[in-house]
Structures are given as C-alpha cells and as structure tokens.
Amino acid sequence: LGEAAAVLAHMATQEWPRQPEAAPGVYHTLHDYDEQAQLIEVDLLPSWYIPFTKNLEATTEQRESFAAIWSELLALARPKTQQWTIRDFHSPNLLWIPERVGLKRVGIIDSQDALMGHPAYDLVSMAQDARVDISVSLEDYIIQQYVALRQRQSAFDVDDFMTAYAVLGAQRNTKILGIFARLNKRDGKPQYLKHMPRVKDYLIRNLRHTALQPLKQWFLTHTPDLFS
C-alpha cells in the first residue's frame, strides 16, 4: 500500500490529457468528476439506504437539506489541478508485480470509468477500502507516505489536502452505502451488506473532521443507525 501511495504521489506530478488515445486513432474523452456528478452519487443514500434501514422513503426535506450540505462541502474539495481519477483505486484492482522495479511493481486495472478529479479521491479509495479492513494506523501510514512524497515534490498544502480527503472520503462512503443497499434491494445481491459496517466506520472517521460537522449532524438526525 505504501508503494501504491507512491504511485499516486507520482501521478500528481504529471500532466494528464483529457483525450488519451485508447487505440490507434481512437480517442477517449475524460469528463470532470464535478459537483453535479458527486451530488448524483450521494443522493444514492436517501434514495436507497434510508428506505433500506427505515422501510420508509426519504422526504423531500431530507433530500434537499442533504444536497445543500453537500454543495457547500464539495466546494472545499475542488481540485486546483486535476489528474486522472481512477475511482476504483483499491485492493481488487491493484496488482503486486515483484519482478518489476520501483513504481512499476504496482499494476492498475479497471480504469475505464476514470474521470478528471482531485488527487485525494483515489488515495481515500485505497486507504478506506470498502472490501478490506484498513485500520486507523494503516490508513495514517498510507497518508503519511503520500504526503511526505508530495511535500518533497513541490509546495503542498497539507491542511487543504486533508480537508479534501475527508470530504471526498465521506462522499465516497456515502455513495457506497447507497450502492450496497441498491444491490441488495434491486439486484438481489445481499452479499454486499456484509461490507456495510466497514463502510459506516470509514464514514464516521471522515465525519470527525471539523469541516464536516454539519454533515455529521444531518446523519445523527436522519440516520442514527450509522453510529450504533
């Protein structure tokens, strides 16, 4: 995981084309992972998770207040410089190739849904892996490795980055709770429910950041099961 963090730190130093050549003469356009897309994703929680836990549809007031809080939070995580954001940069898609040297020892698959986004998103995807328990100490180690490398490269605002990390971590885990509830209800895949306690724990970690206190209060009011 430390090597994978180094890959992400290296990626932050590169210029990433919006239209990479996917095959000879064939170009793929990467769109922005912007507020509109992220708001659609977090709406999965009132759309699917609340009905799953309460057997009741979310109210209009719940959805509107949730979106309003997120609009303010996502403004704190707008990237100053964008890079390719894989969005599924986590254990199932990271391959260890020991016969290679340096950063090339980390293989990355499942990048077809990549967008242009904030460098913190993929780091939190890995350090708060929805399918594997990542302890607080291991998460801290991953972050420290990444931050140390970024600080060596150029001017790097740690506080600004960590705020974005908490916001995007909360956004990702909020989305995942909605997705897992949907997979259970709509797609008949209850096996994803076993991951919910882990995802809830990650979400609570992010909610400890001072910038996310309004969101924490919303969850305490409308989904208190998260904290039980």
Side-chain angles (χ1 to χ4, degrees):
L1 292 178
E3 289 293 337
V7 169
L8 290 176
H10 176 72
M11 287 175 63
T13 69
Q14 309 302 302
E15 291 188 12
W16 296 94
R18 282 187 173 273
Q19 291 186 311
E21 190 172 16
V26 178
Y27 294 86
H28 173 70
T29 299
L30 278 77
H31 299 286
D32 289 343
Y33 194 19
D34 58 15
E35 180 180 311
Q36 181 180 5
Q38 291 167 329
L39 285 174
I40 290 171
E41 290 179 340
V42 295
D43 187 64
L44 290 166
L45 186 130
S47 293
W48 293 95
Y49 180 80
I50 286 182
F52 166 72
T53 57
K54 295 188 174 184
N55 203 29
L56 292 170
E57 295 297 317
T59 67
T60 299
E61 186 280 329
Q62 285 175 320
R63 300 176 83 116
E64 289 179 350
S65 61
F66 197 54
I69 291 170
W70 274 110
S71 290
E72 293 189 7
L73 287 177
L74 291 169
L76 303 176
R78 288 178 185 147
K80 294 181 176 64
T81 57
Q82 293 177 310
Q83 67 181 60
W84 287 2
T85 300
I86 307 301
R87 294 203 294 162
D88 283 322
F89 195 92
H90 55 180
S91 58
N93 299 330
L94 299 175
L95 309 177
W96 182 245
I97 311 172
E99 63 270 22
R100 293 184 181 178
V101 177
L103 299 179
K104 292 183 179 180
R105 289 179 295 178
V106 180
I108 304 168
I109 62 172
D110 195 11
S111 60
Q112 66 271 15
D113 294 325
L115 296 171
M116 300 296 291
H118 197 292
Y121 190 90
D122 281 344
L123 185 68
V124 78
S125 299
M126 177 178 66
Q128 296 184 356
D129 193 320
R131 292 171 177 79
V132 178
D133 288 333
I134 303 290
S135 66
V136 173
S137 59
L138 180 54
E139 181 183 8
D140 287 343
Y141 168 78
I142 294 167
I143 294 170
Q144 289 167 9
Q145 293 286 6
Y146 179 89
V147 168
L149 289 169
R150 290 295 307 274
Q151 287 177 317
R152 291 177 202 165
Q153 294 163 354
S154 60
F156 180 67
D157 189 329
V158 177
D159 290 339
D160 183 69
F161 181 85
M162 291 310 301
T163 296
Y165 179 96
V167 170
L168 295 174
Q171 190 272 346
R172 177 175 171 80
N173 288 301
T174 295
K175 169 183 69 174
I176 291 172
L177 287 175
I179 289 173
F180 287 172
R182 184 176 67 184
L183 284 167
N184 172 65
K185 177 69 174 179
R186 188 191 70 182
D187 303 330
K189 297 180 179 180
Q191 62 267 32
Y192 287 91
L193 298 181
K194 68 183 179 182
H195 299 301
M196 275 193 175
R198 179 184 306 113
V199 177
K200 290 179 184 179
D201 180 64
Y202 293 147
L203 176 56
I204 291 169
R205 290 186 200 180
N206 294 307
L207 292 177
R208 295 188 182 116
H209 194 288
T210 55
L212 276 71
Q213 293 314 294
L215 181 63
K216 180 179 180 180
Q217 187 57 54
W218 190 97
F219 279 120
L220 284 167
T221 301
H222 301 288
T223 58
D225 65 283
L226 280 175
F227 303 89
S228 60

